[in-house]
Amino acid sequence: MLNSRDIDRLRADVAENCRRWLERCGRAGLAVLVTNTVRDAAYQAWLYEQGRTRPGSIVTNGKLPTFHDVEAGLAFDFCKNVKGQEYSDAQFFADAAALAKEMGFSWGGDWKSFVDRPHIQWDAGGQYTNAMIRKGQYPPAMPAWEEEENMTQETFDGMMADYLARLGEQSPSDWSEDARTWAESRGLIRGDETGNRRYKMFVTREEMAVLLRRMEQGAETGDQPAK
């Protein structure tokens, strides 16, 4: 009988996301242990006998392996890696499964007919069934989960400052030359302390207010060119 817990025996795409899920669980403080990945028909039959012809509680309704099948490698089981609490903490399973579901996995804890909290599988959002897997109809490759980067306000401010600095250094376009010459001759655009007029920069409301005030002052003095 084959009953493996080796993640490498899962299909490559599922194995990669299983490892990323374990990393996420670790960062979330969830002590997760993968207890099963693939199994053969003999082991599945042995599990099926439990609670029927062999002592113990019923743990499966399937006589043949499907998502756990060696040829499929699309499912894995897990428990809480704390002695004496392996399967007793329902919230632990819900929290760990929530991370898996964010990644695209399906959780046995959501099943109606046979709730299986330790079970996670890739079925392309429920599009593939046990019957399809038994026929060799497998779901497409599971997209690799990419963690979203959490940008801090400090990082954003730094990126924005760099962007604005680059804008301020860009040269103005040729099509605005006449207008720029007119505005500069009347003192409307004067530039900063270094003389950089930063024509590609955004205009703030206070800068707009200064510009409008200069225009008004120009009108009051007959719109004479600046000295």
Side-chain angles (χ1 to χ4, degrees):
M1 291 190 298
L2 173 64
N3 172 33
S4 178
R5 58 192 292 179
D6 186 357
I7 295 176
D8 286 336
R9 301 199 69 152
L10 294 170
R11 202 173 72 177
D13 53 311
V14 178
E16 179 60 27
N17 278 323
C18 177
R19 294 188 181 94
R20 297 186 184 192
W21 170 72
L22 288 171
E23 292 175 359
R24 298 186 72 206
C25 287
R27 293 197 298 270
L30 299 169
V32 171
L33 176 67
V34 172
T35 59
N36 177 248
T37 53
V38 299
R39 60 184 69 144
D40 61 12
Y43 184 75
Q44 185 69 34
W46 183 82
L47 285 179
Y48 184 79
E49 292 170 358
Q50 183 172 316
R52 295 180 174 88
T53 60
R54 188 165 54 81
S57 302
I58 291 177
V59 293
T60 182
N61 280 338
K63 294 182 179 181
L64 293 173
T66 52
F67 287 86
H68 279 293
D69 187 77
V70 177
E71 299 300 322
L74 297 167
F76 53 90
D77 294 340
F78 71 101
C79 74
K80 186 174 184 178
N81 195 18
V82 177
K83 189 174 182 179
Q85 301 179 30
E86 288 85 351
Y87 297 98
S88 61
D89 189 346
Q91 189 59 52
F92 162 82
F93 284 99
D95 292 342
L99 296 178
K101 289 163 67 176
E102 285 180 2
M103 301 171 67
F105 284 113
S106 293
W107 178 42
D110 290 328
W111 296 344
K112 304 302 180 183
S113 59
F114 188 85
V115 177
D116 191 1
R117 290 187 179 88
H119 179 87
I120 290 174
Q121 67 184 35
W122 166 241
D123 54 19
Q127 297 183 56
Y128 286 74
T129 65
N130 289 335
M132 295 170 69
I133 300 302
R134 283 194 290 269
K135 293 178 182 178
Q137 300 173 7
Y138 301 146
M142 184 179 186
W145 169 260
E146 296 293 343
E147 199 80 48
E148 292 185 4
E149 183 178 354
N150 293 321
M151 183 179 295
T152 64
Q153 186 64 48
E154 181 179 4
T155 300
F156 175 80
D157 291 346
M159 292 176 64
M160 180 57 72
D162 290 341
Y163 172 65
L164 293 176
R166 292 196 302 272
L167 279 183
E169 295 301 322
Q170 291 184 20
S171 300
S173 303
D174 292 340
W175 56 262
S176 65
E177 183 176 1
D178 288 344
R180 286 186 283 108
T181 300
W182 175 85
E184 292 171 15
S185 68
R186 284 157 177 76
L188 300 178
I189 303 296
R190 300 174 186 173
D192 58 21
E193 62 277 3
T194 65
N196 183 0
R197 295 181 174 85
R198 302 184 301 171
Y199 276 110
K200 293 293 187 179
M201 284 287 289
F202 304 117
V203 177
T204 65
R205 284 180 170 81
E206 64 178 352
E207 290 171 334
M208 179 60 73
V210 170
L211 180 60
L212 294 173
R213 179 57 178 158
R214 289 174 182 171
M215 291 178 66
E216 181 185 48
Q217 290 173 337
E220 292 172 351
T221 59
D223 196 25
Q224 297 298 315
K227 300 294 186 180

